[in-house]
Amino acid sequence: MKAVILAGGYGTRLSEETVVKPKPMVEIGGRPILWHIMKYYWVHGVDEFVICLGYKGEQIKEYFLNYRYKSADISIDLSADEVSIASNSIEPWRIHLIDTGEKTMTGGRLRRVRHLLDDGEPFFMTYGDGLTDADLSDELRFHRSKPGEATVLAVQPPGRFGAFELRAGDDRLPSFREKPDGDGAWISGGYFILEPGVLDHIEGDETVWEREPMERLSAEGRLMAYRHQGFWQPMDTLRDKEYLESLWASGRAPWCKWSDGPVPADRRADSPPANATRRSK
């Protein structure tokens, strides 16, 4: 399984950070949110990533070009002019960093990396600015058991503000709830599983994935929703970023499910249970 991550947008609502760096490079706990997303996919067996670059994409390239040296212990022999890795515990990832254009829309970015995807094999797709604790391996099993060609993680965002009711002619508060549940509406959580064929319907760089392609798939009954009622949090604003930072600092970040060892076989997205139903083609 491969994961495609859209990492080329401007992130204008987080301009306090994105004026100097691309949004996926905004840090949570000293690591780019892009790294957190990739680590979470790794928990579910994904070790090959296609990252669609755009705005300030060179910073993402530089990060991964230097990743091995920043993450490992290094021995330097100045007299012999030799550098060696003393310990190497970095993740065994294969990463494709593809410049998909600074102004290319989301659908256009997907179309530009079509050649890196395997025919007949589904792939994960998400954006470089959101975290979840959804069971992506189970989402894949769900996808394979359904007749659709695309599956989206459906989430119910919580309310952002405290809520209370007021009765006409009565100034007393009968009830108050701090940060209540949302209005019950389901929205896209941004974690998709797609069949490569759906990208053939993307016309060009100007196509927005969330508009014509998704609307068409939905109208034709080919878009499935995998419901998730656990943790999900986008990083759209500085407030969101600070909230994610607080979760990480607390040691209870819901998405942090990885360890330093290999991914256990029973958590791999590409190893569904023997009785899992294979999706129809």
Side-chain angles (χ1 to χ4, degrees):
M1 286 288 294
K2 297 178 181 178
V4 176
I5 304 177
L6 304 185
Y10 291 99
T12 53
R13 286 183 289 177
L14 194 59
S15 59
E16 299 91 343
E17 295 268 0
T18 56
V19 69
V20 296
K21 65 180 68 172
K23 192 176 182 182
M25 292 303 292
V26 174
E27 293 185 350
I28 304 298
R31 297 273 195 167
I33 190 172
L34 176 60
W35 176 87
H36 290 266
I37 294 169
M38 294 169 71
K39 289 285 282 191
Y40 194 72
Y41 271 121
W42 189 47
V43 167
H44 293 280
V46 178
D47 57 11
E48 186 167 358
F49 300 89
V50 179
I51 302 178
C52 302
L53 306 179
Y55 173 69
K56 295 187 181 296
E58 69 280 357
Q59 292 189 24
I60 299 177
K61 290 182 180 179
E62 290 171 0
Y63 177 79
F64 285 108
L65 282 171
N66 296 317
Y67 185 72
R68 184 180 184 187
Y69 292 101
K70 289 183 177 180
S71 304
D73 295 335
I74 299 175
S75 295
I76 303 174
D77 187 331
L78 295 177
S79 61
D81 193 23
E82 294 178 352
V83 177
S84 61
I85 303 295
S87 67
N88 191 358
S89 60
I90 62 173
E91 301 83 0
W93 295 341
R94 185 178 186 188
I95 306 170
H96 307 272
L97 301 168
I98 310 301
D99 185 357
T100 56
E102 188 165 319
K103 296 182 179 180
T104 305
M105 297 292 102
T106 50
R109 295 191 192 283
L110 288 172
R111 182 182 174 89
R112 286 203 183 196
V113 300
R114 174 68 176 82
H115 64 286
L116 292 171
L117 304 174
D118 300 319
D119 289 334
E121 288 297 323
F123 64 95
F124 289 104
M125 189 276 279
T126 193
Y127 309 94
D129 63 355
L131 294 167
T132 185
D133 67 351
D135 188 338
L136 302 182
S137 295
D138 191 59
E139 183 184 4
L140 178 60
R141 287 189 284 269
F142 171 89
H143 174 80
R144 284 173 164 159
S145 72
K146 300 296 179 179
E149 295 181 79
T151 297
V152 60
L153 185 74
V155 299
Q156 293 176 299
R160 186 175 287 273
F161 304 102
F164 53 81
E165 298 176 356
L166 285 176
R167 300 190 181 99
D170 189 348
D171 294 329
R172 293 172 298 177
L173 264 64
S175 65
F176 179 85
R177 290 180 296 160
E178 176 63 16
K179 293 184 179 179
D181 295 335
D183 59 10
W186 291 92
I187 67 169
S188 167
Y191 280 77
F192 295 86
I193 299 173
L194 306 176
E195 299 295 322
V198 303
L199 306 187
D200 295 337
H201 302 295
I202 297 174
E203 295 184 359
D205 285 355
E206 72 286 349
T207 302
V208 178
W209 164 250
E210 301 79 13
R211 296 294 301 275
E212 294 91 345
M214 284 190 66
E215 290 170 0
R216 179 176 178 178
L217 288 167
S218 178
E220 295 176 353
R222 295 187 291 149
L223 177 62
M224 303 293 151
Y226 177 80
R227 294 173 176 84
H228 173 60
Q229 295 181 308
F231 174 81
W232 173 81
Q233 178 64 49
M235 189 184 65
D236 290 331
T237 65
L238 184 59
R239 176 176 177 169
D240 294 333
K241 191 257 188 189
E242 292 172 345
Y243 174 60
L244 291 171
E245 279 276 14
S246 69
L247 290 176
W248 184 263
S250 72
R252 298 189 300 274
W255 68 91
C256 183
K257 297 180 181 295
W258 53 81
S259 64
D260 293 335
V263 180
D266 62 356
R267 291 193 304 182
R268 292 183 59 87
D270 55 357
S271 300
N275 61 352
T277 304
R278 177 67 181 178
R279 68 176 301 278
S280 58
K281 295 293 186 183

